[in-house]
Amino acid sequence: MMPVDRARTMRRTATGLIVLMAALFLFTGRYLEVHPVWGYLHAFAEAAMVGGLADWFAVTALFRRPLGLPIPHTAIIPENKDRIADTMALFLRENFLIPNVVARRMATMNLAGAVGSYLADPKASRDTRIRAGAGELAIEVLESLDPERLGGQVRSGLKTQLERLEISRVLGQMVDAMIAEGRHRILIDKIIRWSGLVLEDNEDMVRAMIHERANGLLRLTGLDERLANSVLDGLYKLLAEVLVDPDHQLRDKIEEGLQELARGLREDPEMQERVERMKREMLSNPAIGDWWQDVWERLRAGLIGMIRDGQMEGGGYVGETLAELGAALRDDTRLQTQVNRFARRTAVGVATRYGDQIVQLVSETVRRWDARTLTDRVEGAVGRDLQFIRVNGTLVGGLVGVAIHFVSGVL
């Protein structure tokens, strides 16, 4: 079923009212001598026709030439299309895209609270359209990111931040905190187990070293093999004792070494310089950049695959995430303040940086429209209200005619 053109319906109503006034004018003209009331009706119809026709001319002259006649100052909108485009753009620039105006209007809006209330609504969080839209948006963002450019930007940003960071002091503080909280004991256990595994994997190398360093007499009598077995057995026994005895002397030595390392990282300029030099060499190593690039690509591909396969939506994951985000935005006033401030600064920044481009886009878009397109769009937007002007002009004109007829009769 085609939608009703309300503007056209109202146009026919206004025109029909003028035709009705013309019929009333002709009909009442025959009975002017019969009774004074016919004179009032005749005056009403006459003035109504004049008012209606005048308003018809005024409204029609905005969009086209009345009856196709080349009357001056008609077809105002088509003839002044470019000037209208410039005026609309200037109005937009002066009233909406001024940074102060944008900031003032954004300051009265609690955008974060409104978005949070909507997302926290269970109906919104279960809305498959929101989940699908969020997934599609995430895929588009992930696919649109230039891997080389993004990887380069991230590497550059990380390198800049790490170069500013005194990593030796940070490492020293981390070791101190680890020892104070007793977490170094777990590290010592792992070091002992790792040492045992390394020794087991390299027994042949240890035996070869002992054989090479043994004198000819030991090798001749075969004692070098016994010596190698004794050394390996002693090392395995020592590692086992340290592993099972939390108070072993070697543990204390390791802990003292960690404390000395932490102190050196915090206070020894020479050690700090060595650590910083190692940090700079590591950051300058192309292998680090290649490693990050590979990590990012695998992460990006994995996220895209999970979203497309619906794994991210399993168990309402996206819906629950959106609901949690909405609840945080709705209930946390500090978070609202931060988000609203960010939105306000973003809007002001857009108005400041791109206001002229937006205005130019509006102006050029309207200029590219042909006269018929512009006329149809404007008339479609305000045509119905303009037809009400014609109706009002007809009725008001009739009432003025009655008033004039009364005054002339009295005088």
Side-chain angles (χ1 to χ4, degrees):
M1 181 177 178
M2 294 294 292
V4 178
D5 189 342
R6 302 178 65 185
R8 179 177 298 179
T9 301
M10 198 63 206
R11 187 186 305 118
R12 291 175 177 174
T13 300
T15 302
L17 187 58
I18 294 177
V19 173
L20 178 62
M21 291 300 103
L24 180 61
F25 175 77
L26 294 175
F27 178 77
T28 55
R30 300 178 180 182
Y31 303 99
L32 294 177
E33 304 298 332
V34 176
H35 193 278
V37 72
W38 292 106
Y40 282 97
L41 290 174
H42 188 73
F44 177 87
E46 181 180 16
M49 281 193 301
V50 173
L53 289 171
D55 285 337
W56 166 81
F57 182 89
V59 170
T60 303
L62 289 173
F63 305 103
R64 58 189 62 86
R65 298 190 184 280
L67 302 177
L69 301 175
I71 303 172
H73 303 294
T74 57
I76 295 173
I77 292 177
E79 293 294 329
N80 297 275
K81 178 172 67 70
D82 293 344
R83 190 175 67 179
I84 292 173
D86 294 338
T87 302
M88 290 174 59
L90 183 61
F91 176 81
L92 179 65
R93 186 71 175 100
E94 293 181 348
N95 292 275
F96 294 97
L97 293 179
I98 297 177
N100 291 338
V101 174
V102 174
R104 185 169 60 252
R105 294 188 178 181
M106 291 291 292
T108 62
M109 299 172 57
N110 186 2
L111 183 63
V115 173
S117 297
Y118 175 73
L119 293 179
D121 186 353
K123 294 181 180 179
S125 63
R126 291 194 301 266
D127 193 340
T128 57
R129 294 174 300 175
I130 295 179
R131 293 202 300 269
E136 292 175 2
L137 178 61
I139 290 176
E140 290 179 1
V141 171
L142 289 171
E143 289 183 337
S144 66
L145 295 175
D146 185 349
E148 293 295 334
R149 183 176 180 182
L150 179 66
Q153 290 177 342
V154 173
R155 287 197 301 269
S156 177
L158 288 174
K159 184 177 179 180
T160 301
Q161 295 301 322
L162 289 175
E163 285 177 346
R164 296 175 180 174
L165 179 66
E166 294 185 8
I167 194 169
S168 57
R169 295 181 182 273
V170 174
L171 291 175
Q173 294 171 357
M174 290 175 59
V175 174
D176 277 337
M178 182 176 62
I179 295 174
E181 296 174 5
R183 288 183 284 116
H184 68 293
R185 298 188 183 93
I186 299 176
L187 177 61
I188 293 175
D189 290 342
K190 290 183 178 180
I191 292 175
I192 294 171
R193 291 190 179 95
W194 175 79
S195 300
L197 294 174
V198 171
L199 181 61
E200 183 179 357
D201 293 337
N202 295 275
E203 278 191 9
D204 294 337
M205 183 183 69
V206 174
R207 291 180 185 276
M209 292 174 59
I210 294 174
H211 292 324
E212 291 175 0
R213 287 165 174 75
N215 56 35
L217 181 60
L218 290 177
R219 286 197 297 270
L220 182 63
T221 58
L223 293 177
D224 59 336
E225 183 65 24
R226 294 180 60 184
L227 178 61
N229 290 334
S230 298
V231 170
L232 289 171
D233 291 342
L235 290 175
Y236 282 126
K237 181 180 179 181
L238 175 63
L239 292 174
E241 290 176 351
V242 175
L243 186 62
V244 299
D245 185 3
D247 298 323
H248 197 280
Q249 184 179 4
L250 185 57
R251 284 180 176 268
D252 295 335
K253 293 295 182 180
I254 295 175
E255 184 171 332
E256 290 177 5
L258 289 175
Q259 292 174 344
E260 186 63 27
L261 173 63
R263 188 179 304 108
L265 289 170
R266 288 185 288 102
E267 302 174 2
D268 186 354
E270 185 177 350
M271 180 179 290
Q272 291 175 353
E273 177 57 29
R274 288 200 303 268
V275 173
E276 293 299 320
R277 184 168 59 251
M278 292 173 58
K279 179 192 73 174
R280 290 191 294 269
E281 292 175 354
M282 183 182 67
L283 293 176
S284 300
N285 191 337
I288 298 297
D290 296 338
W291 171 80
W292 160 251
Q293 189 70 32
D294 182 62
V295 170
W296 162 246
E297 277 302 302
R298 284 186 291 174
L299 177 62
R300 187 169 73 108
L303 287 174
I304 292 174
M306 291 176 65
I307 296 173
R308 281 180 173 165
D309 295 340
Q311 297 180 27
M312 295 292 286
E313 296 185 12
Y317 178 83
V318 174
E320 293 176 1
T321 301
L322 292 174
E324 292 175 0
L325 174 61
L329 288 173
R330 180 193 61 193
D331 302 332
D332 192 336
T333 55
R334 294 181 60 185
L335 181 59
Q336 287 181 12
T337 301
Q338 294 175 353
V339 172
N340 289 333
R341 184 185 297 117
F342 173 77
R344 183 168 63 253
R345 290 177 177 174
T346 301
V348 171
V350 170
T352 302
R353 296 183 181 89
Y354 306 108
D356 293 335
Q357 289 89 329
I358 295 173
V359 168
Q360 185 177 1
L361 175 64
V362 172
S363 178
E364 292 178 353
T365 300
V366 177
R367 282 176 175 269
R368 284 196 297 267
W369 290 347
D370 57 70
R372 180 63 181 273
T373 299
L374 177 62
T375 300
D376 291 343
R377 293 191 178 186
V378 175
E379 190 172 11
V382 300
R384 187 168 182 269
D385 295 322
L386 293 176
Q387 300 310 315
F388 271 112
I389 293 177
R390 291 179 56 192
V391 172
N392 292 337
T394 302
L395 298 178
V396 171
L399 294 175
V400 171
V402 170
I404 293 174
H405 182 74
F406 172 76
V407 172
S408 62
V410 171
L411 297 177

